Amino acid sequence: MGIYVDAFYKLKESILGNDFLILMAALVALAFMLVTLSLANSIKRRTKEWKKNKNVKFSKFLLRGTSRFYTLFVTMISIFPLLGMLGTVIGLLGLDLASGDMNNIKTNFFVALTSTAWGIIFSVIFKVLHAWIADNVEEQIETAKKMTEEFEQ
């Protein structure tokens, strides 16, 4: 039981220490997802209002914002495995096998493996979230595109 507790605390320390860049990327991806959802919901709520007022500028603004944040969110998902690999390479570059210092070897291997693990974990989490929101967001983007085209004619 004690070995599992130690492993948990080491993983917690790694995401708050060595793998801080991956944690920051996860927070940015979460922010992009929330902004995307907020903009998509604005499109959904304002559809009837747009049809009455034909506010082209506002519909274009929401369309551009939703499309951009959605693209950034999807891009962030593909960055997590790359950040994990970067952490792996950095951890392995710090290895000094010639010195025979086992603590140095253990520490650098731990950094390498946890970076890979966090990259994969966050990638999976955000891929699932993407699958959950994709249909709704893409539908609202198409709605906004159609309405903008109608207004411009």
Side-chain angles (χ1 to χ4, degrees):
M1 180 81 164
I3 195 166
Y4 296 112
V5 172
D6 289 342
F8 172 76
Y9 283 115
K10 282 185 178 182
L11 282 175
K12 185 177 121 188
E13 289 172 14
S14 80
I15 196 65
L16 296 175
N18 301 330
D19 301 321
F20 190 69
L21 184 62
I22 295 173
L23 178 63
M24 290 291 94
L27 293 174
V28 168
L30 183 63
F32 286 155
M33 184 188 84
L34 293 175
V35 170
T36 300
L37 284 173
S38 175
L39 291 170
N41 286 334
S42 290
I43 292 171
K44 190 180 232 176
R45 282 192 317 260
R46 297 175 188 254
T47 303
K48 290 179 184 176
E49 179 186 320
W50 286 351
K51 288 182 180 178
K52 288 180 189 173
N53 302 336
K54 297 189 178 191
N55 189 346
V56 179
K57 287 183 183 179
F58 192 67
S59 65
K60 281 184 177 180
F61 168 77
L62 280 178
L63 173 60
R64 272 189 254 121
T66 307
S67 295
R68 285 182 182 153
F69 277 100
Y70 184 61
T71 301
L72 288 170
F73 171 64
V74 172
T75 302
M76 286 299 294
I77 294 170
S78 65
I79 289 175
F80 288 112
L82 298 173
L83 290 174
M85 286 189 279
L86 177 65
T88 301
V89 169
I90 290 170
L92 293 178
L93 285 175
L95 281 177
D96 184 13
L97 296 174
S99 72
D101 180 13
M102 287 307 288
N103 281 336
N104 176 18
I105 294 170
K106 285 180 185 179
T107 301
N108 285 317
F109 259 83
F110 184 76
V111 168
L113 293 177
T114 57
S115 294
T116 304
W118 286 121
I120 292 169
I121 288 167
F122 282 122
S123 180
V124 168
I125 289 169
F126 282 105
K127 279 197 175 283
V128 169
L129 289 172
H130 175 250
W132 181 58
I133 70 167
D135 287 341
N136 179 42
V137 171
E138 290 171 6
E139 179 183 327
Q140 298 312 316
I141 289 172
E142 284 303 312
T143 299
K145 280 181 184 177
K146 286 177 188 175
M147 289 183 28
T148 302
E149 288 172 5
E150 286 177 20
F151 296 160
E152 288 178 339
Q153 291 176 352

